[in-house]
Amino acid sequence: MSWAATAGGYLTIFVAAVAVELAARGTGRWPTLGEAVAAVNRFRTGRAILLAAWLWAGWHLFVRASWG
Amino acid sequence: MWAALVVALAAWEVAAFLQLPRSAHPTLSSLANLAFESHPVRAAAFALWMAAGYAMARR
């Protein structure tokens, strides 16, 4: 796989997510992203997983540490 | 449907992480590093992350 193929894979998943969101808002057959997050948020374990994922994303993307 | 997308994203990320070289198989964080080289983009992404946290906390 090349860089373009790998990045294209991410782009495909992102486009699919946008398509699902638009279809959910249009047809109502599927939950929107907000509704899905709310459904996970109803359970204590789900809230903990969402919080951990949010913290991980923030740490992973925004913390700049120099290890050397 | 959303679970399938999350699983697909995680699987693609792991596949990219396990392959070398990183320059040919970028992970999300390496792609983000490219975008975050400019401070305005980084600041906007941070604000978006904070807004997502606030939205989850309000539910």
Side-chain angles (χ1 to χ4, degrees):
Chain A
M1 271 199 313
S2 66
W3 187 93
T6 307
Y10 288 121
L11 186 63
T12 301
I13 293 169
F14 176 73
V15 168
V18 171
V20 168
E21 178 74 10
L22 291 175
R25 288 175 185 266
T27 64
R29 284 181 59 195
W30 296 313
T32 63
L33 180 59
E35 290 167 355
V37 169
V40 172
N41 223 10
R42 274 190 219 117
F43 304 98
R44 183 178 296 176
T45 306
R47 275 198 304 270
I49 291 170
L50 283 176
L51 176 64
W54 178 78
L55 286 171
W56 180 86
W59 183 271
H60 193 60
L61 292 175
F62 300 116
V63 170
R64 298 287 173 111
S66 60
W67 301 101
Chain B
M1 183 59 78
W2 288 107
L5 285 171
V6 169
V7 167
L9 181 63
W12 196 255
E13 173 83 356
V14 168
F17 182 73
L18 293 177
Q19 296 183 59
L20 293 172
R22 178 72 57 244
S23 59
H25 305 284
T27 58
L28 281 174
S29 59
S30 60
L31 290 172
N33 283 343
L34 287 176
F36 290 172
E37 283 181 3
S38 79
H39 284 289
V41 172
R42 188 178 182 83
F46 184 76
L48 196 66
W49 175 76
M50 291 290 287
Y54 177 72
M56 282 194 305
R58 283 196 67 203
R59 288 186 179 271

